Amino acid sequence: MSEIETIQAYYAASLGKDGRITRTQRQILAAALDLFAEKGYEEVGTREIAERAGVAEGTIFHNFVNKNGILDAIMQPIVKNILPTMLNTLDQAVLDSPNQTLEAFIVALVRDRVKFVTRNRASLAVILSQFFNNAEDRAAVLGMVSPAILTQATEAMERLKATGELVEWPNHMILQLVFSTIGGYLVEQVLYPQAATLSDQQVVHYLSDFLVNGLSPRRIPLQSDNTAS
Amino acid sequence: MSEIETIQAYYAASLGKDGRITRTQRQILAAALDLFAEKGYEEVGTREIAERAGVAEGTIFHNFVNKNGILDAIMQPIVKNILPTMLNTLDQAVLDSPNQTLEAFIVALVRDRVKFVTRNRASLAVILSQFFNNAEDRAAVLGMVSPAILTQATEAMERLKATGELVEWPNHMILQLVFSTIGGYLVEQVLYPQAATLSDQQVVHYLSDFLVNGLSPRRIPLQSDNTAS
Amino acid sequence: MSEIETIQAYYAASLGKDGRITRTQRQILAAALDLFAEKGYEEVGTREIAERAGVAEGTIFHNFVNKNGILDAIMQPIVKNILPTMLNTLDQAVLDSPNQTLEAFIVALVRDRVKFVTRNRASLAVILSQFFNNAEDRAAVLGMVSPAILTQATEAMERLKATGELVEWPNHMILQLVFSTIGGYLVEQVLYPQAATLSDQQVVHYLSDFLVNGLSPRRIPLQSDNTAS
Amino acid sequence: MSEIETIQAYYAASLGKDGRITRTQRQILAAALDLFAEKGYEEVGTREIAERAGVAEGTIFHNFVNKNGILDAIMQPIVKNILPTMLNTLDQAVLDSPNQTLEAFIVALVRDRVKFVTRNRASLAVILSQFFNNAEDRAAVLGMVSPAILTQATEAMERLKATGELVEWPNHMILQLVFSTIGGYLVEQVLYPQAATLSDQQVVHYLSDFLVNGLSPRRIPLQSDNTAS
DNA sequence: TATGAATGAGATTTCATTCAT
DNA sequence: GATGAATGAAATCTCATTCAT
């Protein structure tokens, strides 16, 4: 994953004539982000957004064409740029060192995600909400996982299984467990932004350790212990 | 948890005068459940529900007072029971055999949830959607996690830690990981109902095994092995 | 004015097959009377009436055909029977003694009205409300003042003017003042049923005295006094 | 009372940003006033108002928030001012000439009210209707009779009694009679707007004369005359 | 006779969007 | 570019009334 980890940096690309985001646009986006995260897209009216942003209702349509245009402006940078980039980064790491251990692999994977979640809570709340509420938006999020990436991920898993680093479970199930663990952290952060009792570093440690142990091939002594009891 | 594992069984408690759910009410609930699960609560109109249910629009309001009343009738039975019974199971398992292994404990927990998810996909889809979309509904779901239940869960974890069955991590983190793992399965089922490639039994095996290994105390040999490599 | 001064006595004539008013009908009428007087006809729903009456909604239509049927049952006895009777009584009194003084005449007039108002507060509240809100009901109330009665009243006023008992003002204005004075009392009673600080007898005295003095021909000394100052 | 005698003049205070009433708002208010006066508030739909006003239905809600908002805009200026200014007049009359006769005093009072009624027939019809129909609106009208104002009125009456200008009756009864006389005229004007056979001046004369004679202390000669006859 | 579930026409209200200024 | 009044389609909801039980 590269340096671009904040949404603001992406607005320039999609808004404004000369790659610049207007003060007005920023006000509207900030207001909408707050409100969407708090109440959900459907529950927020354009009048409300305009009021909180301190602009006229018409100004919203001047700048974003649609109510949906605001949502796009919030989701696009993450869905179209950051997440794909992140997935590519993951893949690159795997490709770079084919004989990497599961631990190193997972730690790298988790660390990036945790940082990202911490930095983009509000936007992720909106994306998460849309993901579960709108089939189209869900497709958009899922669509960014290109088949190529999936293929590469599958290859990585097979390689790790071959070297005895990964349990011999269906790849589909392994992926689900990895996503669940990271996703669960995401959900917690998004829903309780205030309760950050652990440092990012600690979280990375726990999640990685949990995943590594959960997905490592079962050792003989562990099995015998269980059998013995 | 035990006997009550289908939503229909709960409707009786909250609807109808003598604990019975009317044919009309069932029609409306079925239609609404389908539509909500498919398009999301906000996207479905009462007219549409009435049409699919084969009743007049007024009949909806006669039976459920509100559009929101339908949603309540769908969510209530699950929301009011899923977590409490889940933790009941946990408590029961602990009471039944205080020196039980983490494995048996988690297997019981996971098995119940997997069955429940499989049986109540549509309703859970609606609840999941509302949970992320509507602060009020989220509060309703979370509000039912009474402090008493949390205390019980905490006690159970402490006991397992004391007997060396559970890793010495913050309880909060352990809970999050358990919820993540089961929740991830829930999300997958809810979003891709068709793709059931694994049997319930297999899923229970994988999830349990993953959790048990992920949450077991780290063995010295494992650590030294890792360090050695 | 005869003895029939309470509404209940009239229900028999318009309801029930054998001139009897059912227990159910009484319940409905009582509930409706309360509610109409409190919130106004339009603001009260049939569901509400049924609830307060402790009957099913259908029962109302069984007994009164219409929602409007209830209103009719409340208004009819007064509008169709009592008020006309009262007006005829008034006329009779005038006819019986053509050379009566204004005082005796007005005292008789006022006394009957005051008693009537005191006894039928609630129903009068409903009638008053309808009078100002519904052109049709207003016509019904006004229609009960037959031209014949008006003619007789005019004759009475002319006679009193001829004998120097009544000011030489337009009859129309004199009637308005009489109605105003009595109507003002009606309004006060209807709107503040609780605040009955004066006895009927006292009220009759004040109203009569006020009317007699207000409508007596002006004496010379009074005029000269004013001029002198 | 003085200058502000038309409702339009009051709208400015409660509507529009810079104390101005929009052309659209005036159209809506005019249409609503006509319809409410003609059929009563409950019988008029917003669609009907919009049609007669020549605007879209949404425009009503854009400008008045509620259907009830229109009613408020019609009632407020009058309700907030009619009684206060009425009693201001009373107070002013007393301050201007403490030794004024009852006659001059009542003439001033009546003249103001008669003018007001003549000019605001339609609005008063709506208010009158609501007053008798809706407990809430009634409370609003009555609620504006502040204790302070009542105190002033009472003091004025006591002063007039002390100077032998006013009959020694309960203040409450005197007020009722004054209100009845003026209110009766109001009702007549509101219900039969067309039948204006008398000029304002004549009406003022009759009502004042009636009140003055009705409320003047009874002269001994008058009493003896009556007794003698 | 009494019931109360079902009805559906119609009422109010919301809201994204347009457009003249 | 910004405004905000106006729009009208569509949504939710109310309510008197019917009718099978």
Side-chain angles (χ1 to χ4, degrees):
Chain A
M1 178 146 177
S2 68
E3 300 311 301
I4 319 178
E5 289 184 341
T6 318
I7 293 164
Q8 264 69 18
Y10 279 98
Y11 284 151
S14 45
L15 295 171
K17 52 183 180 185
D18 55 348
R20 282 231 168 211
I21 181 174
T22 316
R23 175 178 151 72
T24 306
Q25 287 169 338
R26 190 163 38 247
Q27 283 171 328
I28 293 170
L29 283 170
L33 188 53
D34 275 8
L35 290 167
F36 289 166
E38 185 188 338
K39 308 208 236 165
Y41 177 73
E42 299 282 359
E43 288 294 307
V44 178
T46 50
R47 162 130 45 166
E48 203 177 357
I49 298 171
E51 262 166 25
R52 176 156 333 183
V55 300
E57 218 174 341
T59 308
I60 289 175
F61 294 87
H62 228 308
N63 283 278
F64 297 90
V65 184
N66 260 344
K67 183 189 171 190
N68 206 59
I70 314 175
L71 187 62
D72 283 349
I74 289 172
M75 295 181 66
Q76 253 190 41
I78 296 197
V79 168
K80 287 242 170 102
N81 296 302
I82 303 187
L83 282 181
T85 305
M86 280 169 61
L87 287 168
N88 283 333
T89 307
L90 162 66
D91 185 53
Q92 207 54 40
V94 173
L95 288 177
D96 285 357
S97 49
N99 50 3
Q100 222 172 357
T101 62
L102 175 66
E103 184 170 8
F105 181 74
I106 277 184
V107 167
L109 185 67
V110 168
R111 186 188 297 134
D112 265 5
R113 304 305 153 260
V114 167
K115 264 200 284 184
F116 179 72
V117 167
T118 308
R119 294 191 188 179
N120 295 291
R121 267 177 207 150
S123 301
L124 286 172
V126 175
I127 291 175
L128 202 58
S129 169
Q130 286 307 108
F131 183 84
F132 285 107
N133 237 281
N134 185 297
E136 217 170 295
D137 286 335
R138 179 159 58 248
V141 171
L142 295 174
M144 93 219 156
V145 183
S146 70
I149 291 176
L150 266 187
T151 309
Q152 290 173 322
T154 305
E155 283 170 9
M157 284 186 283
E158 291 301 342
R159 237 178 287 135
L160 288 166
K161 283 182 191 171
T163 60
E165 289 276 339
L166 188 63
V167 279
E168 292 281 351
W169 290 354
N171 291 329
H172 169 257
M173 177 56 69
I174 294 170
L175 274 180
Q176 182 190 303
L177 292 168
V178 174
F179 276 117
S180 294
T181 304
I182 297 174
Y185 172 68
L186 164 64
V187 169
E188 219 243 337
Q189 286 299 304
V190 157
L191 298 185
Y192 305 104
Q194 70 295 353
T197 50
L198 300 173
S199 71
D200 277 12
Q201 206 179 339
Q202 284 174 302
V203 169
V204 170
H205 168 69
Y206 289 135
L207 296 192
S208 305
D209 206 32
F210 173 69
L211 277 171
V212 170
N213 278 277
L215 296 176
S216 287
R218 307 302 169 228
R219 311 261 161 178
I220 309 287
L222 194 73
Q223 289 289 353
S224 64
D225 271 5
N226 266 347
T227 316
S229 70
Chain B
M1 171 131 182
S2 73
E3 306 314 301
I4 318 175
E5 288 183 341
T6 318
I7 294 165
Q8 264 69 17
Y10 284 109
Y11 287 153
S14 45
L15 294 171
K17 53 180 179 184
D18 55 347
R20 282 216 162 237
I21 180 173
T22 314
R23 178 179 146 73
T24 307
Q25 286 170 337
R26 191 162 38 247
Q27 283 171 328
I28 293 170
L29 283 171
L33 188 52
D34 278 7
L35 289 166
F36 289 167
E38 184 191 337
K39 310 209 241 165
Y41 178 74
E42 299 282 358
E43 292 299 311
V44 178
T46 50
R47 160 133 31 170
E48 202 177 358
I49 297 171
E51 264 166 23
R52 177 161 326 186
V55 299
E57 214 173 345
T59 307
I60 289 177
F61 295 90
H62 184 69
N63 282 281
F64 297 93
V65 184
N66 261 344
K67 184 188 170 189
N68 207 59
I70 313 175
L71 188 62
D72 283 349
I74 289 173
M75 295 182 64
Q76 234 192 56
I78 298 203
V79 162
K80 281 239 172 101
N81 291 287
I82 183 167
L83 248 189
T85 51
M86 187 165 168
L87 290 161
N88 252 15
T89 307
L90 191 134
D91 204 41
Q92 205 57 36
V94 173
L95 287 177
D96 285 357
S97 47
N99 50 3
Q100 221 174 359
T101 61
L102 175 66
E103 184 169 8
F105 183 71
I106 277 184
V107 167
L109 187 66
V110 168
R111 186 187 295 134
D112 257 8
R113 287 316 100 199
V114 167
K115 265 201 281 184
F116 188 83
V117 167
T118 308
R119 294 190 187 181
N120 296 294
R121 261 179 213 147
S123 301
L124 287 171
V126 174
I127 291 176
L128 202 59
S129 166
Q130 287 306 109
F131 185 85
F132 286 109
N133 238 284
N134 185 299
E136 215 170 296
D137 285 335
R138 179 157 61 242
V141 172
L142 296 175
M144 102 221 146
V145 185
S146 70
I149 288 178
L150 268 185
T151 308
Q152 285 184 334
T154 304
E155 283 170 8
M157 286 184 285
E158 291 301 342
R159 240 176 284 136
L160 288 165
K161 283 181 191 171
T163 59
E165 290 277 337
L166 187 62
V167 78
E168 291 280 354
W169 290 353
N171 290 329
H172 169 260
M173 177 56 70
I174 295 170
L175 272 181
Q176 182 190 303
L177 292 169
V178 173
F179 276 116
S180 295
T181 304
I182 298 175
Y185 172 68
L186 164 63
V187 168
E188 219 241 336
Q189 286 297 305
V190 154
L191 296 184
Y192 307 103
Q194 70 292 354
T197 50
L198 300 173
S199 71
D200 277 12
Q201 207 179 341
Q202 284 176 302
V203 169
V204 170
H205 169 70
Y206 291 135
L207 297 191
S208 304
D209 207 32
F210 172 68
L211 277 171
V212 169
N213 280 278
L215 295 175
S216 286
R218 309 299 170 232
R219 312 261 162 179
I220 309 286
L222 193 74
Q223 288 290 353
S224 64
D225 273 4
N226 265 345
T227 315
S229 71
Chain C
M1 180 148 173
S2 69
E3 299 311 298
I4 319 177
E5 289 184 341
T6 318
I7 294 165
Q8 264 69 17
Y10 279 98
Y11 285 152
S14 46
L15 297 170
K17 52 184 179 187
D18 56 348
R20 282 229 168 213
I21 182 172
T22 316
R23 177 178 148 73
T24 306
Q25 287 169 338
R26 190 163 38 249
Q27 283 171 327
I28 293 169
L29 283 171
L33 188 53
D34 275 9
L35 290 166
F36 290 167
E38 187 188 336
K39 308 207 237 166
Y41 178 73
E42 299 282 0
E43 288 295 306
V44 178
T46 51
R47 160 125 52 164
E48 201 178 359
I49 297 172
E51 263 167 24
R52 175 157 331 184
V55 301
E57 216 174 341
T59 308
I60 288 175
F61 294 87
H62 228 308
N63 284 278
F64 296 91
V65 184
N66 259 344
K67 183 190 171 190
N68 206 60
I70 314 175
L71 186 62
D72 282 349
I74 289 173
M75 295 182 65
Q76 253 190 41
I78 297 198
V79 169
K80 287 243 172 100
N81 296 302
I82 302 187
L83 281 181
T85 306
M86 280 169 61
L87 287 168
N88 283 334
T89 307
L90 162 65
D91 187 53
Q92 207 57 37
V94 174
L95 289 179
D96 285 356
S97 49
N99 51 0
Q100 224 172 356
T101 61
L102 175 66
E103 185 170 9
F105 180 73
I106 277 183
V107 167
L109 185 68
V110 168
R111 185 187 298 134
D112 265 2
R113 304 304 152 259
V114 166
K115 265 200 281 182
F116 179 72
V117 167
T118 308
R119 294 190 187 179
N120 295 292
R121 266 178 206 148
S123 301
L124 286 172
V126 175
I127 292 176
L128 203 57
S129 168
Q130 286 306 109
F131 183 85
F132 284 108
N133 237 281
N134 185 297
E136 219 170 294
D137 285 335
R138 179 159 58 246
V141 171
L142 295 175
M144 93 217 157
V145 183
S146 70
I149 291 176
L150 267 185
T151 309
Q152 291 173 322
T154 304
E155 283 169 8
M157 285 184 284
E158 291 303 341
R159 237 176 289 134
L160 288 166
K161 282 182 193 170
T163 58
E165 289 276 337
L166 187 63
V167 280
E168 291 280 354
W169 290 353
N171 291 329
H172 169 259
M173 176 57 67
I174 294 170
L175 274 180
Q176 183 190 304
L177 291 169
V178 173
F179 276 117
S180 294
T181 304
I182 297 174
Y185 173 69
L186 163 64
V187 168
E188 218 243 337
Q189 284 299 303
V190 154
L191 298 184
Y192 306 104
Q194 72 292 355
T197 50
L198 300 173
S199 70
D200 278 11
Q201 205 180 340
Q202 283 175 302
V203 170
V204 170
H205 167 70
Y206 290 135
L207 297 191
S208 304
D209 206 31
F210 173 69
L211 277 171
V212 169
N213 279 278
L215 295 176
S216 286
R218 308 301 170 229
R219 310 259 162 182
I220 308 289
L222 194 74
Q223 289 289 355
S224 64
D225 272 6
N226 266 345
T227 316
S229 71
Chain D
M1 170 134 184
S2 73
E3 305 316 302
I4 319 177
E5 288 183 342
T6 318
I7 293 165
Q8 264 67 18
Y10 284 110
Y11 286 153
S14 46
L15 295 170
K17 53 181 180 184
D18 55 347
R20 282 220 163 232
I21 179 174
T22 313
R23 176 177 148 75
T24 307
Q25 286 170 338
R26 190 163 37 246
Q27 283 171 329
I28 294 170
L29 283 172
L33 188 53
D34 277 6
L35 290 165
F36 289 166
E38 183 190 339
K39 310 209 241 164
Y41 177 73
E42 300 282 356
E43 292 299 310
V44 178
T46 51
R47 162 130 34 169
E48 203 177 356
I49 298 171
E51 263 165 24
R52 175 159 329 185
V55 300
E57 215 172 342
T59 306
I60 288 176
F61 294 89
H62 184 69
N63 282 280
F64 297 92
V65 184
N66 262 342
K67 185 189 169 188
N68 206 59
I70 313 175
L71 188 62
D72 283 349
I74 289 173
M75 294 182 64
Q76 237 193 55
I78 297 204
V79 161
K80 282 239 173 100
N81 290 288
I82 183 168
L83 248 188
T85 51
M86 188 166 169
L87 289 161
N88 252 14
T89 306
L90 191 134
D91 203 43
Q92 204 57 37
V94 173
L95 287 176
D96 286 357
S97 46
N99 49 2
Q100 219 172 1
T101 61
L102 174 67
E103 183 171 9
F105 182 71
I106 277 185
V107 167
L109 188 66
V110 168
R111 186 186 295 134
D112 257 7
R113 288 315 101 198
V114 167
K115 265 201 279 183
F116 189 82
V117 167
T118 308
R119 295 190 187 182
N120 296 294
R121 262 179 212 149
S123 301
L124 287 171
V126 174
I127 291 176
L128 202 59
S129 166
Q130 286 306 110
F131 184 85
F132 287 108
N133 239 283
N134 184 300
E136 216 170 296
D137 285 335
R138 180 159 57 244
V141 172
L142 295 175
M144 102 223 148
V145 185
S146 71
I149 288 176
L150 269 184
T151 308
Q152 285 184 335
T154 305
E155 282 170 8
M157 285 184 284
E158 291 301 342
R159 239 176 285 137
L160 287 166
K161 283 182 191 171
T163 59
E165 290 278 336
L166 187 62
V167 77
E168 290 281 353
W169 290 353
N171 291 329
H172 169 258
M173 176 57 69
I174 295 170
L175 272 181
Q176 184 190 304
L177 292 169
V178 172
F179 277 115
S180 294
T181 304
I182 297 175
Y185 172 68
L186 163 63
V187 168
E188 218 242 337
Q189 285 298 304
V190 155
L191 296 184
Y192 307 103
Q194 69 291 356
T197 50
L198 299 172
S199 70
D200 277 12
Q201 204 179 341
Q202 283 174 302
V203 170
V204 170
H205 168 70
Y206 290 136
L207 297 191
S208 305
D209 207 33
F210 173 68
L211 277 171
V212 169
N213 280 278
L215 295 176
S216 286
R218 308 300 170 232
R219 312 260 160 180
I220 309 284
L222 195 74
Q223 288 288 356
S224 63
D225 274 5
N226 265 345
T227 316
S229 71

